[in-house]
Amino acid sequence: MKFEIKRDILLKSLNFVQGVVEKKNTLPILSNVLLDLKNNKLSIIATDLDIIFYDEISDVKILSEGNTTTSAAVLFDILRKITSNSNLKFDLKSENKLSLKSDNSDFNLLCLPSDNFPTFKLDEFNDSEIKINNKNFLKLLNKTKISISNDDTRHYLNGVFMHLTESNGRNFLTGVATDSHRLSSSSLEIDNTQDFKPFILPRKTVFQLCSLLSEISEPLFIQISENKVMFLIGKIRLISKVIDGKFPDYKKVVPINNKKVLVVKTKDFISSIERVATVSLDRKEGLKIGISKDHIQLSVNSANSGDGNEKIQANFNGENINISFNSKYLIDIASEVEDSNLKMNLNDSVSPVLIEDISDKNSYYVIMPMKI
């Protein structure tokens, strides 16, 4: 195989590959990226056996067809350090040596034969696909991923639960994530809902999708099979296994009778928490919030490093309450709120708190108070 390609075109694709390929692999072939030249295009494929990344590049000069695999990390690192818009010349000298030349640079990369690379079937996906607004889906993922659990003993919480919901005769695709300390839910309206089966999208796939969607503005299509889901964005296909397990009935923990409402400026709230929490090296010590009619008092008391206190303006329609939270959880949630004001619906100092975004009626958050 022999081909020429512009550095920036190949680098963009390899940048996405880095999020899929694992650096340390028991199978060396999985650290490699497959370069396949045929039918006037270069296919780039990478996998960790749970996620498969496909990209097609037609803006390439093919001198002879063929394929090989080489280290995804090494190739990416070389390309990053080569001058922008340089012309790259690739030539497979032997089964295990790929020549790469550019300007005054000359590299020989070690290869593994592509016969060892995993093969995949695409015919398991039904033809029915759901078209989704790219930016709206990215927003949904960003708002929900903050609550994905890291607890491997409850693997069904290690992702975002995607399912259909209905409200006022309109259909929504809703994403929910929880780590049992906090919960995030975000929805977007969709038209085509036939053949949609609920699934749990793994954490790694969620972050990889966020990376793709933030760089590519083309429409997003979703196809679902028995145990996989495929996302199509332009020429790129991202195929992922879904988490095998049943997501809990999350609606049971969403409070519906929290009548005490606190409204505070979102930016002031985040800045104040960050300042006060600086005194604590251990986030588990918790942030105490004293809520009054026209202000809140934030305080952190650390046995090892001192204490911090700050007062900011707020509006509250109930009796004074003292409540405590994990400061990181609060910052994560508040940072996703689009409105200039953050609305917290409370009941007492130990019950779940509902946080609403006045500018986004299709998203909400639930956070459990800490016992200090």
Side-chain angles (χ1 to χ4, degrees), residues 49-50 60 73 115 177 204 216-218 291 296 301 326 369 371:
L49 297 182
D50 289 328
V60 56
D115 300 350
K204 183 174 174 179
I216 303 169
S217 55
E218 291 178 65
I291 305 172
I296 56 175
N301 193 333
N326 178 309
K371 291 173 185 169

Coordinates of all heavy atoms in Angstrom, one line a residue, residues 49-50 60 73 115 177 204 216-218 291 296 301 326 369 371:
L49 N -12.7 -3.4 21.6 CA -13.6 -4.5 21.6 C -15.0 -4.2 22.2 O -16.0 -4.9 21.9 CB -13.1 -5.8 22.3 CG -11.8 -6.4 21.7 CD1 -11.4 -7.7 22.5 CD2 -12.0 -6.8 20.2
D50 N -15.1 -3.0 22.9 CA -16.4 -2.6 23.4 C -16.9 -1.4 22.5 O -18.1 -1.2 22.3 CB -16.3 -2.1 24.8 CG -16.1 -3.2 25.8 OD1 -16.7 -4.3 25.5 OD2 -15.5 -3.1 26.8
V60 N -7.6 11.8 -0.3 CA -6.4 11.1 -0.2 C -5.9 10.6 -1.6 O -6.7 10.3 -2.5 CB -6.5 9.8 0.7 CG1 -7.6 8.9 0.2 CG2 -5.2 9.1 0.9
A73 N -1.0 5.5 19.1 CA -0.4 6.6 19.9 C 0.9 7.1 19.3 O 1.1 8.4 19.2 CB 0.0 6.0 21.3
D115 N -4.6 -8.9 9.3 CA -5.3 -10.2 9.5 C -5.6 -10.4 11.0 O -6.6 -11.1 11.3 CB -4.5 -11.4 9.0 CG -4.2 -11.3 7.5 OD1 -4.8 -10.4 6.9 OD2 -3.4 -12.1 7.0
A177 N -28.7 9.7 34.5 CA -27.5 9.1 35.1 C -27.6 9.3 36.6 O -28.1 10.4 37.0 CB -26.2 9.6 34.5
K204 N -17.5 5.5 28.8 CA -16.4 5.7 27.9 C -17.0 6.2 26.5 O -16.5 7.1 25.9 CB -15.5 4.5 27.7 CG -14.4 4.8 26.7 CD -13.4 3.6 26.6 CE -12.4 3.8 25.5 NZ -11.4 2.6 25.5
I216 N -17.7 18.0 15.3 CA -18.4 17.8 14.0 C -19.8 18.3 14.1 O -20.6 18.0 15.0 CB -18.4 16.3 13.6 CG1 -16.9 15.8 13.6 CG2 -19.0 16.1 12.3 CD1 -16.8 14.3 13.5
S217 N -20.2 19.1 13.2 CA -21.6 19.8 13.2 C -22.6 19.1 12.4 O -23.8 19.5 12.3 CB -21.5 21.2 12.8 OG -20.9 21.3 11.5
E218 N -22.2 18.0 11.7 CA -23.2 17.3 10.8 C -24.3 16.6 11.6 O -24.1 16.3 12.8 CB -22.5 16.3 9.9 CG -21.6 17.0 8.9 CD -20.8 16.0 8.0 OE1 -21.4 15.3 7.2 OE2 -19.5 16.0 8.1
I291 N -29.5 28.6 55.2 CA -30.4 29.3 54.3 C -31.3 30.1 55.1 O -32.1 29.7 55.9 CB -31.2 28.3 53.4 CG1 -30.2 27.3 52.7 CG2 -32.1 29.0 52.4 CD1 -30.9 26.2 51.9
I296 N -27.7 33.3 51.9 CA -27.2 32.0 52.3 C -25.8 32.2 52.9 O -25.0 33.0 52.4 CB -27.3 30.9 51.2 CG1 -26.5 31.3 50.0 CG2 -28.7 30.5 50.9 CD1 -26.4 30.2 48.9
N301 N -15.6 23.6 57.3 CA -14.7 23.5 58.5 C -13.9 22.2 58.4 O -14.4 21.1 58.4 CB -15.6 23.4 59.7 CG -14.8 23.6 61.0 OD1 -13.6 23.4 61.0 ND2 -15.5 24.1 62.0
N326 N -21.9 17.6 49.4 CA -20.6 17.5 48.8 C -20.4 18.7 47.8 O -21.1 18.8 46.9 CB -20.5 16.1 48.0 CG -19.2 15.9 47.3 OD1 -18.7 16.7 46.6 ND2 -18.6 14.7 47.6
P369 N -28.5 15.4 50.4 CA -27.7 16.1 51.4 C -26.7 15.2 52.1 O -26.9 14.0 52.1 CB -28.7 16.7 52.4 CG -30.0 16.5 51.7 CD -29.9 15.4 50.8
K371 N -24.7 14.0 55.7 CA -24.9 14.1 57.2 C -23.6 14.5 57.8 O -22.7 13.8 57.7 CB -25.4 12.8 57.7 CG -26.8 12.4 57.2 CD -27.2 11.0 57.6 CE -28.6 10.7 57.1 NZ -28.9 9.3 57.2

